[in-house]
Structures are given as C-alpha cells and as structure tokens.
Amino acid sequence: MKKLASLCALLCALSFLGAADGEFYAANQSVFVIPTAYTMPKGSSSFIDYELVILQYSHALSDRLHLSMGMGFPYNVEMAKTITAGAKFNYFRAPSLESAAWGTFTPIEEVYTLGNVVSFGNNSGNGRGSLHLAGMLYGDMDKPDYLWGVMGTGGIVRFSNRVNGMADVILPPLRIKDSPDDTESEDEDESDNFGMFIVGVRIKGKMLSVDLGGMRLVGDADQGNLLLMPFVKATVLF
C-alpha cells in the first residue's frame, strides 16, 4: 500500500499544473504525467482519471495558484491511505517561458514531494508545441534519513487544432540521502528503481481531452516481451 500511495503522490505531483496562456484546452496541465508550468484560469476546476486507477481533482484559486486532491480507485479503507493533497504556484511568466513550484503530502502514509518545472514554447493558437523540464524530491516522513530525486522531461507537438503528439521521459530515481542501517527499506527501494517512457497522442477539446499512449518502464523493471503497455487518461475541465 505504501508503494501505491507513493505512485499516487508522484502522479498527483506530476500533474497539478494548468494550461498554456491564451487558448485553453482540457489537460494542458501536463503532458502524460510530466507537468507543465502553465496555469488554469481563476475559478476553473479539472477532474483527471488515470486508467480508473488514480483519480485527481484540481481547483485554481487564482491564475497562478492551484490546490489538488488525488487518490487510488475504487475507494475503500486501504485506498484511503493513498489520499494526497497538494499545492502549486506559478512564480514566473514570460512569453514562451514559465516556471512553477509544487508540493504534495500523503497524510496517512506520510509521503511528500517538492518539485519545480520550467516550460518552453506555446501550445495555444498557432503555437507549434512546448518542452517541459521537471525535477522533484520525494521523501517519507517515517524515514527522514533518506531522500530520492526524480527528473523528467516531456514534449508536446501540435498536429492540428484537435490533436497533439506527446512524449514523456521520467528517469529512474536517484538516491540523494539514505540511512545505512535501514537495509530492509533499501532493498525495497531498489526493487522500484525504474523510470518510465510514454509516447502517444492527445485528442483535445475545450472541456474534455483524452490521452492515448504506450508506456514502457525503463531501468530495473521486467516487462517480458511486451513492448509497450497501454496508457489512457481522460481530463474534464469545468
């Protein structure tokens, strides 16, 4: 359950962010899971469904500040442990360049993240696309003696007014700090030492967007002969 809570926290952290300046489409808050630094208009809300496994709700208190809540699905006593809250703030905005910071916390499992993303380009109007560079620290309040670093990049290319091509690359986590006496948790963490690659398309609309892609784990992960696993995400903006 700790691993599921961690996954929920990571996906929530990697998708808090809102849409590009100018024309707004649902799901512009992220590539597949890598965030963008763009923000939804004040008062907007979004609901995201990751393959009926993780659900997330976000609300923009202002043009620069978002609050979010996510959890595993379906809801039960165990899934309640995955409930993750977070906040994100866009602190820099210029033509074709924005940056934002975020943080999340999973209270029951005491998992937290702190991150930053820089976005280049423009997805609105006749913009050709955008590139997003994200870095994040991931830790566990139960084990304060070690810390993980996660880095990733994502890109969006405009195919048409309704279709984008997209790709995400999330590198295997880097251990920044650990306790030499905690051998049990060290072995458990090593078993999760893998990254992720996702490629596909987004069918986008003002109120509803659907992401269809193929995902492959990279690093210490065995997918057998399966080249890509399906990845489906739906986002509703209201």
Side-chain angles (χ1 to χ4, degrees), residues 4 7 49-55 71-74 79:
L4 182 56
L7 177 61
D49 172 13
Y50 293 90
E51 300 185 321
L52 288 178
V53 175
I54 295 176
L55 306 179
M71 64 169 292
F73 182 82
M79 287 298 178

Side-chain angles (χ1 to χ4, degrees), residues 51-109:
E51 300 185 321
L52 288 178
V53 175
I54 295 176
L55 306 179
Q56 179 194 328
Y57 169 79
S58 299
H59 180 72
L61 293 181
S62 73
D63 290 338
R64 291 180 180 265
L65 178 63
H66 291 191
L67 299 180
S68 294
M69 183 74 68
M71 64 169 292
F73 182 82
Y75 178 81
N76 54 42
V77 174
E78 288 300 309
M79 287 298 178
K81 298 179 181 179
T82 70
I83 294 175
T84 300
K88 167 260 174 174
F89 181 67
N90 180 303
Y91 61 85
F92 179 81
R93 182 173 293 165
S96 299
L97 176 63
E98 299 193 29
S99 189
W102 76 84
T104 72
F105 185 59
T106 306
I108 297 179
E109 297 292 345

Side-chain angles (χ1 to χ4, degrees), residues 179-192:
S179 170
D181 297 329
D182 196 357
T183 55
E184 181 178 352
S185 64
E186 181 176 343
D187 292 339
E188 179 181 340
D189 291 336
E190 290 297 336
S191 68
D192 295 331

